[in-house]
Amino acid sequence: MNNKKSAAQAEGFELQELHELGEYLAKQDFSRESDPAAVLRQVRSRSIQKQQEDDRMKNKQRIRRPVMIAASLLVAAVVSVSFVRPSFAQEMLERVLNSVHLGHIEVAQMDGSHPKEFPDAWKGKIFDQEGNPVTSFNPMPEAIFNAAGEAIVNFDGDKLITLSEQEQLDKEASEQKFTVKEAVKLDQYALFKVKLPEYLPEGFAFDHGEFYKDEAGVSGQIVELFFASKDKDKRIWMQLRLANEENAFSMATDDKVEQVKIKGTDAVLVSDRSLDWEANGVMYGLSTRGLDRAEVLKIAESINW
């Protein structure tokens, strides 16, 4: 890692970058990056689980993800406006605890202890199971509802998304995907050699890969790989991207961020469950749930890039 560059980025979130963050997040739905049933109540203490993993499964259903920031880092409503105050930029600066930069990948660890202000736009619109209004993130009920009693499972900027609305969004997103069931056929569509782990924990097996569609058909820039297990409490998911500026991304999280080595290559490990690295023109993202640190590293080490 270029320490000088990393330090400069950690110390210098530009106002313009935060402006772009606000505009970007305002358009997001976080449907794949987070556990839908818990997104809002985890704004302060992310599961991401996923969440780093889920948050990254959340990895926006987009070919281009210029900036990604975890739901637990910022309340979407805070940055969903078209401008960001200089005082907010300074606050963000002070909250950066660690930053790792790897080619087209950047991950920042933020101080998540700062209290979050409940968005005015949500007041009077969120209720608990008994119908009591929810006006604070501390605590946030495990289940929340709108005034009509519909379960709220997600958000898009200030907009609260109900279960039925999310199901429609997921349906539309699935229509923009192309599924490949056989691992040997993945290379027919990817713009790079798709490398799968040679080691998987007992009970896991490759299930399918997903490519995005664009105007020209199937885009080979990004492939998502899913591995099935009979144990529903465990999960392995990967995302491979062609390493270029279009697919470069930044993430911020209040989980632990650590720079590690995978077969001599620099990688960033988040919360001992998720790994990102870049090698031979490909960006690798490995997300897991229910596995320990040693297993996560072993899976990554088994990929012969």
Side-chain angles (χ1 to χ4, degrees), residues 31-34 49-50 53-62 170 173-174 176-184 186 194-197 199-201 203-212 222-232 234-240 285-289 291 299 303:
S31 60
R32 292 296 295 272
E33 292 143 83
S34 52
Q49 190 158 11
K50 182 189 224 25
E53 67 246 26
D54 276 352
D55 281 341
R56 270 208 320 261
M57 283 212 41
K58 65 181 140 224
N59 267 351
K60 294 0 281 153
Q61 307 299 316
R62 306 165 67 93
D170 290 344
S174 67
Q176 298 302 313
K177 294 290 191 70
F178 177 76
T179 300
V180 177
K181 285 289 189 178
E182 300 177 53
V184 295
L186 293 169
V194 179
K195 302 287 188 176
L196 274 66
Y199 167 78
L200 291 172
F204 276 96
F206 173 78
D207 186 74
H208 71 279
E210 292 182 355
F211 292 87
Y212 294 92
I222 300 175
V223 58
E224 296 178 350
L225 306 174
F226 298 86
F227 300 85
S229 171
K230 294 181 180 180
D231 187 342
K232 300 305 180 182
K234 296 181 178 181
R235 177 168 60 185
I236 298 173
W237 166 86
M238 291 188 67
Q239 185 182 83
L240 278 59
L286 169 64
S287 295
T288 70
R289 181 166 63 195
L291 303 182
I299 294 169
I303 302 173

Side-chain angles (χ1 to χ4, degrees), residues 237-253:
W237 166 86
M238 291 188 67
Q239 185 182 83
L240 278 59
R241 293 170 173 250
L242 187 66
N244 55 30
E245 291 303 318
E246 182 179 6
N247 293 324
F249 68 89
S250 299
M251 289 196 308
T253 176

Side-chain angles (χ1 to χ4, degrees), residues 248-261:
F249 68 89
S250 299
M251 289 196 308
T253 176
D254 53 13
D255 282 345
K256 180 179 70 173
V257 172
E258 178 185 1
Q259 185 169 340
V260 297
K261 292 280 189 181

Side-chain angles (χ1 to χ4, degrees), residues 27-43:
K27 301 175 182 177
Q28 304 312 304
D29 62 85
F30 293 94
S31 60
R32 292 296 295 272
E33 292 143 83
S34 52
D35 181 347
V39 173
L40 295 180
R41 67 182 173 85
Q42 291 173 347
V43 169

